[in-house]
Amino acid sequence: MIDTEVPKKNKSSFEKLVKVIRQRNYKKATEYTYLRYNLDFLLFADKPAEKVVTKDIEKYIEYLRKKKVSSSTIQINISSLKMFFEEVLDMNVFEDFRRPAREYKTPKVLSQKEISLLLETASESPRSHLLCALAYYAGLRVGEIIRLKWGQFDLSKKTIKVDSPIPTQNRTVLMDSELQKILKKFEKEVGTEKSSYLFPGKYQGTHLTSRNVERLVGDLAKYAGIKAQVTLFTLRHSRAIHQLAEGKSLEDIREFLGHKSLATTESYLPIRKNLRPQVRQKHIQDALKEIKKKYKY
């Protein structure tokens, strides 16, 4: 729960929001985000929620922009507020609201040299080494990595059965030879039990949190002398780009990453958005040529 006191004039409406969120069994992080962003707005508006109008929402979004809040965070703010006012309070304050277009930034790509430096730094700890290797060599998302159990590995077939938090992203991934070596080293140290997590958490039956893992990877990157901010997604994205540089097709990359749509995979490329299909295809081909020049090992 958030530690900021809710204004007396909004306690009743805010309690309704808490009740709805608890009924939906959101993750703790999601629950906190929805409550935090709605409370921040109510403190800004300084009026009972029932008296909020569209202009108040617009002023708040402009306030966030001036604070240089990222486009993605603004979008989450809007979604949080829409849920509160439309679904909890049954108000139509968003009827005339024009949602700002989402801005997309092409993710950072590490060079092969930077990846080697990071993995070498991580190799001092079998656990850290495997965390980074699963993101890079297997292209797994952070949520997929922290939920991995030994029973998902088939060492004879050299595959990982990926059970994603999103069912449509479930897939089977072939293990790279380098990943197999790192896994075997880790296995020797900790042993295996099919029903247990690879990366157990503090309490029995739990796994590491994504926040702890991301902090670990960020620290490793600093120790490796990498100036850019690095997350597990950076490693996943870098692997995809490196594979494209080696000649893999976009469809191969789509399957590797577990994307439902090829358009999602194409969005990883440094190309302008909202182009006509024919122009877009030319931009994609140009981007692929540039990737091969820049990242081919």
Side-chain angles (χ1 to χ4, degrees):
M1 191 66 179
I2 51 180
D3 51 12
T4 307
E5 187 175 350
V6 179
K8 188 175 180 181
K9 56 194 165 195
N10 283 305
K11 278 196 173 176
S12 176
S13 58
F14 203 76
E15 282 170 5
K16 290 179 186 176
L17 174 63
V18 172
K19 185 177 179 181
V20 170
I21 287 176
R22 295 274 164 82
Q23 287 172 344
R24 296 185 181 185
N25 292 317
Y26 287 137
K27 293 178 184 176
K28 288 292 181 186
T30 305
E31 177 181 311
Y32 177 85
T33 297
Y34 272 65
L35 295 177
R36 177 77 265 169
Y37 287 174
N38 274 292
L39 180 53
D40 286 348
F41 168 73
L42 292 173
L43 291 170
F44 173 85
D46 194 25
K47 61 168 67 172
E50 293 78 6
K51 293 188 177 180
V52 165
V53 295
T54 306
K55 198 72 178 173
D56 296 317
I57 307 283
E58 292 171 343
K59 284 180 181 177
Y60 185 61
I61 299 306
E62 186 57 33
Y63 162 74
L64 294 178
R65 278 184 178 145
K66 286 179 179 176
K67 282 183 66 181
K68 300 192 182 303
V69 171
S70 71
S71 171
S72 58
T73 300
I74 287 176
Q75 293 294 332
I76 298 170
N77 266 275
I78 293 169
S79 296
S80 302
L81 294 173
K82 274 178 70 68
M83 186 262 198
F84 181 35
F85 287 99
E86 292 184 348
E87 300 179 41
V88 177
L89 299 182
D90 196 24
M91 294 170 62
N92 64 352
V93 292
F94 281 90
E95 188 176 10
D96 298 320
F97 177 79
R98 292 187 64 183
R99 190 173 192 137
R102 184 186 291 271
E103 296 172 12
Y104 292 93
K105 291 183 180 178
T106 305
K108 164 76 178 172
V109 182
L110 298 183
S111 67
Q112 296 276 6
K113 184 178 179 181
E114 287 173 320
I115 289 291
S116 296
L117 280 171
L118 179 62
L119 289 171
E120 186 181 340
T121 303
S123 67
E124 294 180 17
S125 160
R127 185 184 72 162
S128 299
H129 204 193
L130 183 57
L131 280 166
C132 293
L134 286 165
Y136 182 69
Y137 291 117
L140 303 191
R141 302 172 176 89
V142 62
E144 295 166 345
I145 291 173
I146 60 177
R147 291 175 176 81
L148 275 175
K149 293 185 176 180
W150 283 106
Q152 291 172 241
F153 291 82
D154 188 329
L155 298 180
S156 62
K157 293 181 180 178
K158 302 173 183 176
T159 60
I160 310 171
K161 184 183 177 185
V162 182
D163 293 329
S164 176
I166 302 172
T168 56
Q169 295 171 350
N170 291 344
R171 62 200 184 281
T172 298
V173 176
L174 279 171
M175 280 197 283
D176 182 280
S177 59
E178 194 60 35
L179 175 56
Q180 292 174 55
K181 290 179 196 173
I182 296 168
L183 179 65
K184 284 176 183 175
K185 183 180 175 183
F186 182 73
E187 183 184 357
K188 281 181 184 176
E189 177 163 302
V190 304
T192 64
E193 186 182 324
K194 282 195 173 183
S195 61
S196 64
Y197 289 113
L198 260 73
F199 309 109
K202 187 176 179 181
Y203 302 105
Q204 189 173 3
T206 65
H207 52 68
L208 280 180
T209 65
S210 58
R211 185 174 296 178
N212 285 337
V213 172
E214 294 291 16
R215 188 182 299 121
L216 170 67
V217 174
D219 288 344
L220 285 170
K222 288 177 185 175
Y223 295 146
I226 299 170
K227 293 181 180 179
Q229 184 179 2
V230 176
T231 66
L232 279 179
F233 179 72
T234 311
L235 304 186
R236 169 178 153 90
H237 176 67
S238 297
R239 178 63 168 174
I241 296 300
H242 294 165
Q243 286 186 328
L244 287 171
E246 292 163 8
K248 291 270 188 181
S249 69
L250 277 167
E251 181 58 36
D252 287 337
I253 304 301
R254 184 194 70 77
E255 289 183 12
F256 173 70
L257 295 175
H259 289 160
K260 186 177 179 181
S261 165
L262 188 61
T264 304
T265 313
E266 290 174 353
S267 72
Y268 277 35
L269 305 178
I271 57 175
R272 286 168 47 208
K273 312 300 174 185
N274 304 320
L275 298 171
R276 288 183 289 111
Q278 191 174 355
V279 177
R280 181 175 173 79
Q281 282 307 310
K282 184 180 184 307
H283 276 245
I284 288 171
Q285 294 309 312
D286 289 343
L288 291 173
K289 285 178 187 175
E290 190 59 33
I291 284 168
K292 286 177 182 177
K293 279 185 194 175
K294 190 173 181 181
Y295 295 106
K296 193 167 182 180
Y297 198 55

